[in-house]
């Protein structure tokens, strides 16, 4: 019953070619089981080769239940995003931030301090400093990091690493509350990187990573660098080169690989860059954020979405109203009921789609690299094609995965 509304439209439009028409109401469960079958195969292959770390992680991912089964509303939100700005220096294809209708702005340091204090009063002691914008665009980023440190509040942010000068300026602020970066990199060649990260240059990424490493070496700090690589038709054939190049900067376990989603002002691009259309599904059936997480926009509003481009899921002022009244407000309840299939979906939720197999992508690539394989992108795509063709064919999925990792 919880899936009725979100499944109805999806199953009605699901292509019949290339995959069996799974009985209504069972497709997502079948695809989830097929995904876990592949993850178990990846784990077994890695374990047999002596790579116990990645094997254990893959087995653990395969043991997860369907997310919708665990979506109970927390009495108090347990995690948060703080949008210190919704401005971005790039206009990446998967974000297309220039289409966002919300006014652009930055969060003043005084407001940031108030937000942190209020979050701490709710039991939240750390937050990511990003939603739609680029964190380093904020002109007073150092002041914000210092405020967080003074409040013993841990902050983390993802960056496109294009503003090397700004990034270098944050490095002396290394502390127990600020000690890691996640760099979004979706290509290994200047051409592909620029095509996806529109307005960016991969050379600036190298420059920023060198700066962090040099600072760690000279100052004895231990900034952690993680990378996030969104795999698509555009860049799948550059995975090998990416691993070779960026393996010089960071260890494999700090690299993350995923598949794209359509949560942007223009969701149509997803089917253009992902050929496995049977695996595209409405995120509404599995999204758990409105049940446990809040996002605070640069102007102090509380939202139930970490990428609320147009303010569709804003509930009200985080500082002027009691947060728990907003958390349990009629609008918040209506959003959650829509996600559970008991009401209408918000526009933002209705256009948000995901691709089954993000964890397959992550563990397959890392396992293939440890096994010394090349052409990792085409190998991964063969496994995804098998899942797209028929997620219920356990034998075919297992055999395809084994072949791809040999």
């Amino acid at each position: 019953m919880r899936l009725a509304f979100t499944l109805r439209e999806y199953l009605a439009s699901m292509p019949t070619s290339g995959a069996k028409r799974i009985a209504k109401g069972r497709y997502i469960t079948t695809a989830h089981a097929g995904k876990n079958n592949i993850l178990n195969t990846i784990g077994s292959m890695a374990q047999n080769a002596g790579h116990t770390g990645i094997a254990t992680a893959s087995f653990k991912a395969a043991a997860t239940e369907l997310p919708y089964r665990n979506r109970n509303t927390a009495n108090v939100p347990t995690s948060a995003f703080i949008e210190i700005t919704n401005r971005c220096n790039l206009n990446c294809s998967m974000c297309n931030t220039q289409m966002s209708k919300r006014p652009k702005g930055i969060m003043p340091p005084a407001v940031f301090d108030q937000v942190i204090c209020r979050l701490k009063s709710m039991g939240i002691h750390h937050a990511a400093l990003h939603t739609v914008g680029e964190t380093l665009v904020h002109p007073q980023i150092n002041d914000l990091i210092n405020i967080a440190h003074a409040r013993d509040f841990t902050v983390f942010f993802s960056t496109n690493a294009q503003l090397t000068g700004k990034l270098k300026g944050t490095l002396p602020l290394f502390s127990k509350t600020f000690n890691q970066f996640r760099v979004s990199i979706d290509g290994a060649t200047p051409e592909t990187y620029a095509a996806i990260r529109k307005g960016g240059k991969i050379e600036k990424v190298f420059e920023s990573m060198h700066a962090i490493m040099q600072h760690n070496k000279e100052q004895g700090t231990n900034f952690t660098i993680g990378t996030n690589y969104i795999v698509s038709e555009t860049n799948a054939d550059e995975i090998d080169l990416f691993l070779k190049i960026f393996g010089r900067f960071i260890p494999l376990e700090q690299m993350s690989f995923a598949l794209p989603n359509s949560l942007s002002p223009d969701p149509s691009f997803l089917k253009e860059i992902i050929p496995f259309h049977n695996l595209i599904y409405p995120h509404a059936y599995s999204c758990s954020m409105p049940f446990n997480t809040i996002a605070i926009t640069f102007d102090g509003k509380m939202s139930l979405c970490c990428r609320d481009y147009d303010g569709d899921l804003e509930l009200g002022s985080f500082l002027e109203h009691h947060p728990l009244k907003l958390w349990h407000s009629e609008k918040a309840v209506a959003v959650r009921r829509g996600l559970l299939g008991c009401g209408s979906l918000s526009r933002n939720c209705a256009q948000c789609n995901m691709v089954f197999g993000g964890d397959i992508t992550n563990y397959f690539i890392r396992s293939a690299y440890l096994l010394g394989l090349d052409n990792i992108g085409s190998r991964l795509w063969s496994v995804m094609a098998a899942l797209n063709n028929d997620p219920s064919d356990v034998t075919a999925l297992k055999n395809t995965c084994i072949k791809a990792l040999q």
Side-chain angles (χ1 to χ4, degrees), residues 19 31 68 179 203 210 296 313 317 321 324 381 397:
Y68 74 83
N179 50 44
E203 293 82 3
H210 277 298
I296 312 303
L313 300 185
S317 173
H321 301 290
L324 294 187
W381 251 215
L397 294 179

Side-chain angles (χ1 to χ4, degrees), residues 181-338:
F181 296 95
R182 186 182 72 186
V183 182
S184 299
I185 314 170
D186 304 311
T189 63
E191 297 77 16
T192 299
Y193 182 88
I196 297 174
R197 298 273 164 185
K198 297 175 182 177
K201 296 182 178 180
I202 199 170
E203 293 82 3
K204 298 298 293 183
V205 177
F206 294 141
E207 186 179 343
S208 293
M209 286 195 159
H210 277 298
I212 299 172
M213 293 177 65
Q214 190 66 23
H215 188 275
N216 280 342
K217 181 178 179 181
E218 293 177 355
Q219 303 300 322
T221 53
N222 187 30
F223 273 107
T224 299
I225 310 173
T227 58
N228 191 39
Y229 190 104
I230 303 299
V231 182
S232 68
E233 280 281 87
T234 312
N235 61 13
D237 61 347
E238 293 188 5
I239 293 173
D240 295 25
L241 183 59
F242 173 86
L243 289 163
K244 179 180 179 180
I245 294 174
F246 289 95
R248 297 178 299 168
F249 298 101
I250 59 174
L252 183 65
E253 58 268 21
Q254 288 166 212
M255 295 182 181
S256 176
F257 301 90
L259 295 172
N261 62 52
S262 68
L263 184 50
S264 83
D266 177 21
S268 62
F269 83 100
L270 186 60
K271 288 188 176 181
E272 298 173 7
I273 62 173
I274 290 293
F276 315 114
H277 293 179
N278 291 338
L279 300 182
I280 297 174
Y281 70 99
H283 192 205
Y285 105 95
S286 63
C287 179
S288 61
M289 180 171 173
F291 298 85
N292 52 45
T293 305
I294 55 175
I296 312 303
T297 61
F298 76 88
D299 50 358
K301 295 176 182 176
M302 177 171 149
S303 173
L304 292 177
C305 179
C306 62
R307 298 182 68 80
D308 196 354
Y309 284 88
D310 299 332
D312 291 331
L313 300 185
E314 289 178 352
L315 302 175
S317 173
F318 181 65
L319 299 178
E320 295 177 6
H321 301 290
H322 195 295
L324 294 187
K325 286 187 177 180
L326 297 177
W327 181 246
H328 295 289
S329 65
E330 288 185 11
K331 182 174 180 178
V333 172
V335 169
R336 296 182 190 114
R337 285 178 59 82

Side-chain angles (χ1 to χ4, degrees), residues 81-86 102 107 129-132 296-298:
F81 290 82
I82 305 175
E83 176 192 78
I84 61 173
T85 181
N86 62 343
R102 275 199 296 134
M107 181 177 286
L129 300 186
H130 57 267
T131 56
V132 219
I296 312 303
T297 61
F298 76 88

Side-chain angles (χ1 to χ4, degrees), residues 127-130 134-136 141 145 155-159 167 170 178 180-183:
L129 300 186
H130 57 267
E134 163 58 40
T135 309
L136 291 172
I141 181 62
I145 294 173
V155 294
F156 155 78
F157 59 82
S158 180
T159 176
L167 186 145
T170 68
F178 171 63
Q180 61 178 315
F181 296 95
R182 186 182 72 186
V183 182

